[in-house]
Every structure is written in C-alpha cells, then in structure tokens.
Amino acid sequence: MFIIDAWEAIRDFLELGGPVLRVIGFNIFVLWVLILERLIYYRTGMVELINNSIDEWNRRSDKTSWNAVQIRESLISKAKIAAENSLPMIQTLVALCPLLGLMGTVTGMIQVFEVMAMSGTSNARAMAAGVSRATIPTMAGMVGALSGVFFVTILTRASKRYSASLEDSLMRD
C-alpha cells in the first residue's frame, strides 16, 4: 500500500512539472549513477590500482635512469586518468540541471501566457497550473545542481588526493 501511494505521489509530481521535469529527473538519475560509481571505485578499484602501481615500482631495481623515470610518470598518469574518469561528464550533468530548470520555467510561463491570451486574467486555476509547471522544474533543477556540486567537489578532491598519494609513494630513492 505504501509503495502504491509513493508511486502515485511521484507520478502526480511529475505531471505537475510537465515534460521537462522528466528530462530533469533522468538527468539527475544519470548524475547520481555516475557519482555512486566514482565513490565505489575510489573505495575499491582505485586503492587496488595504487597498490599495484606501488608494487610494480618497488619490484624495479633501477629507479634513477631515464627509462625508470618514464615508467614512474606512466604509472602516475594511468592513475590520474583512472581517478578523473567520468568527472567531466558529472560536471556537465551538474551544469545541465539549472539550464533544464530554466527551460521548464520558460515552457511553464508560455502556458501561463497562452491561458491569459485565451481567457484573460479571470481564470486563475488555469494560470496556476502554468505557474506550477514553471516553478517545479526550476526547483528540481536547482536541487539536482546543488547536490551535484557538493559531490563534484568531494570527487575532485579525492581524485587529486589519490594522485598525489601515488606520486609521493613513487618518489625516486
């Protein structure tokens, strides 16, 4: 019963916001899938990659030659690329949220203006539907962007921290 009530509430909310709200919802869903993937990767795969890189470096007997320096730089570069994977896409999706919210505002206001053109300002109920269609996507876009900005900052710092950690661990003897 609870699940049915929750599903109906979500459906009603999506109908109030119009078609742009569905696009914003999909954008936020993809955003959070990528954020969760990065968080899980930093806890598992990144730690393993750093440990493997350190082991590979420590197995080398020569750590001072030009070749050894190039191998060290290669290990660091691979780790940086792995750490920063998906971050540009996440940043793009975060930036897209308020823009989609603005598009929802414009489409909702167009609906309000259409009602005003047809019936004047006497039909407050029809105008309220357009105002609702204008404000709900704006709110959803801003909520998605704010939560995304917070986690982009966390992920960017973690990426830099892991890269710096590996670089410090691979210092030449």
Side-chain angles (χ1 to χ4, degrees):
M1 190 67 166
F2 171 74
I3 294 174
I4 294 171
D5 292 340
W7 178 252
E8 288 176 1
I10 291 169
R11 190 187 68 223
D12 292 343
F13 180 73
L14 288 173
E15 286 176 10
L16 279 175
V20 176
L21 189 59
R22 290 183 189 92
V23 175
I24 293 170
F26 180 75
N27 186 58
I28 292 172
F29 175 76
V30 172
L31 170 71
W32 278 99
V33 166
L34 292 174
I35 287 172
L36 291 174
E37 182 274 330
R38 284 287 90 191
L39 290 172
I40 292 168
Y41 178 75
Y42 287 160
R43 293 283 184 199
T44 58
M46 192 67 196
V47 172
E48 183 178 337
L49 177 66
I50 288 174
N51 290 338
N52 290 343
S53 297
I54 292 170
D55 289 344
E56 183 178 338
W57 179 252
N58 287 336
R59 283 193 303 268
R60 294 189 54 80
S61 58
D62 172 32
K63 296 181 182 177
T64 57
S65 69
W66 180 87
N67 189 32
V69 170
Q70 298 308 309
I71 290 172
R72 177 183 177 270
E73 292 300 319
S74 171
L75 292 171
I76 293 169
S77 293
K78 286 177 186 176
K80 282 183 181 180
I81 289 170
E84 294 172 358
N85 189 23
S86 298
L87 289 183
M89 177 61 82
I90 293 170
Q91 291 169 338
T92 302
L93 292 173
V94 167
L96 195 58
C97 282
L99 296 175
L100 290 171
L102 181 61
M103 187 169 82
T105 301
V106 171
T107 57
M109 292 311 293
I110 288 172
Q111 183 179 353
V112 171
F113 294 141
E114 285 176 354
V115 168
M116 289 174 67
M118 299 279 193
S119 63
T121 58
S122 62
N123 192 349
R125 181 171 293 208
M127 286 185 356
V131 170
S132 167
R133 194 164 278 197
T135 56
I136 289 177
T138 305
M139 176 204 59
M142 294 310 290
V143 167
L146 288 174
S147 64
V149 165
F150 177 71
F151 278 94
V152 163
T153 303
I154 289 172
L155 293 173
T156 303
R157 286 182 183 172
S159 170
K160 289 178 181 177
R161 187 176 62 244
Y162 281 120
S163 297
S165 167
L166 179 61
E167 205 165 338
D168 290 345
S169 298
L170 300 182
M171 292 302 292
R172 287 182 276 161
D173 294 333

